[in-house]
Amino acid sequence: MPLLGCHLKRAPSHKVLCRFCAAMGKLQSKLKHSTYKYSRPDGIIEERIQTKACLEYSPAHAGSVSVVAALNSDLCVSGGKDKTVVAYNWKSGDVVKRFRGHEREVTKIACIHGSSLFFSASRDRTAMMWDLRGPAQPRQQFSGHAMVVTGLAVSTDSSQLCTGSRDNTLLLWDVGTGQCMERASISRNLVTHLCWVPQEPYVLQTSEDKTIRLWDSRGLQVAHVFPAKQHIQTYCEVSEDGHKCVSCSNGFGGEGCEATLWDLRQTRNGICEYKGHFQTVASCVFLPRALASMPIIATSSHDCKVKIWNQDTGACLFTLSLDGSGPLTSLAVGDTISLLCASFSKGIHLLRVERSRGLELQEVAAF
């Protein structure tokens, strides 16, 4: 990949010099200022300003990015208001393939990690299955909702797909045939997110009615309802071992704006709360255990901040502010040290966890 977008093939020497100078100008414009808070070992919280040159790759989308998910340790899949689904190599900064088929904004992405298959949901009331090794058209389409599809989860064996919508309905699909096998509807259950529990027949769901439900896919029945929160639940994520989950709350001015840890084996009260954001928390992830001596999670919010938390104590370990990004819409683990963060105004941010001076988070690229 040419450095800083300079193309030097067969150019006269004076043109090379002009382009080099232009590239240097671009480098200056790519210096990013971000603020972050760091919790020192002695308990004192320092606020620092970091100014770093941030690589800017070719943008994945024209306009805001609604969602990003990791397909493998090199590729991510994203969707946005431009109606496209994009497979992107975030290590090289290249678009691998652009998929078209949705008629409105893409709202959710669900990947089968390590597979070439993935799924998307949209405001056009459909979900679609795509194959990275196939054509740029959908391999399967799932139509059955009356409103925007806001939840999307695929089973561990990739044989079933669960979709949820603002129409208060969950649908269970056979991935191979595209046929709807089960339908369930609960009054006022406006679905905000779905997550399949690894190696289990259960699907976790958050809702605008402020509840978190655990569904049994065998018959699509509610297996458990967690104690209701005070605010709309926007998102949920399940740990790799399937034992714990985190849900996120909407809010404003610090009211609400928290994430909550739950034990799926106890299913009574939340274990821990993570408070510190000032606007809606839109996404959360469990971070790889190799990163720290304690289990940690990360959250992203409409307040432009990504925070790292001690999972057990609720202490905020680090805060990175992505200034000018607008609301942060989605968060995904790229590899053992990298996070991908989708935003409303600045595309997708590549973040790297640094451990040289304790636990820190730095933006290294955007696309």
Side-chain angles (χ1 to χ4, degrees):
M1 179 179 175
L3 178 64
L4 302 171
C6 292
H7 300 278
L8 306 179
K9 294 181 180 179
R10 300 177 182 175
S13 58
H14 69 281
K15 290 187 177 180
V16 171
L17 179 60
C18 290
R19 289 177 183 176
F20 177 76
C21 292
M24 290 302 291
K26 287 183 181 180
L27 176 62
Q28 295 299 319
S29 68
K30 291 175 186 176
L31 288 175
K32 290 201 172 183
H33 304 274
S34 58
T35 59
Y36 64 92
K37 292 182 179 179
Y38 169 66
S39 298
R40 292 175 10 186
D42 58 10
I44 297 175
I45 298 177
E46 293 184 357
E47 184 165 336
R48 304 173 182 173
I49 298 176
Q50 64 179 15
T51 302
K52 299 194 70 174
C54 178
L55 295 174
E56 290 198 5
Y57 297 142
S58 300
H61 295 274
S64 63
V65 182
S66 308
V67 59
V68 63
L71 186 62
N72 54 45
S73 59
D74 296 314
L75 304 182
C76 66
V77 181
S78 58
K81 283 194 174 182
D82 61 3
K83 311 173 190 177
T84 65
V85 177
V86 177
Y88 200 99
N89 187 319
W90 54 269
K91 289 186 175 178
S92 66
D94 298 314
V95 173
V96 177
K97 187 176 287 189
R98 197 176 298 275
F99 300 85
R100 291 180 172 86
H102 284 298
E103 297 177 357
R104 297 188 66 186
E105 176 186 356
V106 177
T107 56
K108 299 288 181 179
I109 297 288
C111 293
I112 305 171
H113 196 74
S115 167
S116 64
L117 299 177
F118 50 91
F119 302 83
S120 62
S122 170
R123 287 187 177 275
D124 65 10
R125 301 176 294 177
T126 70
M128 294 183 179
M129 179 171 72
W130 313 85
D131 190 345
L132 187 62
R133 299 193 183 101
Q137 291 75 42
R139 179 169 168 176
Q140 191 72 267
Q141 181 169 318
F142 309 89
S143 301
H145 286 290
M147 297 183 71
V148 51
V149 182
T150 49
L152 189 67
V154 60
S155 62
T156 306
D157 64 1
S158 69
S159 66
Q160 295 179 317
L161 181 73
C162 189
T163 59
S165 168
R166 288 182 61 84
D167 63 8
N168 306 321
T169 300
L170 267 70
L171 302 179
L172 188 67
W173 306 85
D174 183 292
V175 169
T177 66
Q179 297 299 307
C180 180
M181 302 183 296
E182 300 284 353
R183 175 186 293 265
S185 183
I186 296 177
S187 177
R188 300 184 180 180
N189 182 32
L190 282 73
V191 177
T192 57
H193 195 71
L194 295 173
C195 187
W196 207 292
V197 180
Q199 310 301 327
E200 297 287 349
Y202 299 108
V203 178
L204 193 67
Q205 179 234 322
T206 48
S207 171
E208 286 194 17
D209 68 4
K210 307 176 185 177
T211 61
I212 303 118
R213 293 179 174 88
L214 190 65
W215 293 81
D216 191 333
S217 64
R218 299 166 295 188
L220 204 57
Q221 300 290 326
V222 176
H224 180 75
V225 180
F226 291 84
K229 298 285 290 178
Q230 295 297 310
H231 296 80
I232 290 172
Q233 297 299 285
T234 60
Y235 189 87
C236 56
E237 179 81 357
V238 180
S239 60
E240 282 190 5
D241 59 13
H243 294 165
K244 293 181 174 65
C245 68
V246 177
S247 68
C248 302
S249 293
N250 82 335
F252 184 77
E255 184 69 25
C257 313
E258 81 272 5
T260 306
L261 181 69
W262 308 85
D263 191 331
L264 290 174
R265 299 163 297 179
Q266 301 295 328
T267 63
R268 287 193 292 270
N269 296 314
I271 304 171
C272 190
E273 285 200 333
Y274 312 97
K275 295 184 177 182
H277 285 293
F278 286 90
Q279 293 187 40
T280 294
V281 181
S283 188
C284 56
V285 291
F286 289 88
L287 296 178
R289 284 301 303 267
L291 282 176
S293 58
M294 80 290 285
I296 52 178
I297 68 167
T299 56
S300 64
S301 167
H302 289 182
D303 63 9
C304 305
K305 292 177 173 57
V306 179
K307 290 179 178 286
I308 296 179
W309 310 83
N310 183 316
Q311 178 184 302
D312 295 334
T313 67
C316 182
L317 305 175
F318 194 84
T319 300
L320 175 67
S321 180
L322 297 171
D323 303 335
S325 65
L328 304 181
T329 55
S330 181
L331 197 61
V333 175
D335 59 19
T336 55
I337 59 169
S338 303
L339 289 175
L340 301 161
C341 183
S343 70
F344 189 84
S345 302
K346 296 292 184 180
I348 301 170
H349 305 265
L350 173 60
L351 311 178
R352 188 151 296 152
V353 180
E354 300 285 349
R355 292 175 292 177
S356 57
R357 296 179 298 173
L359 205 61
E360 296 187 4
L361 197 59
Q362 296 181 356
E363 182 184 11
V364 294
F367 53 92

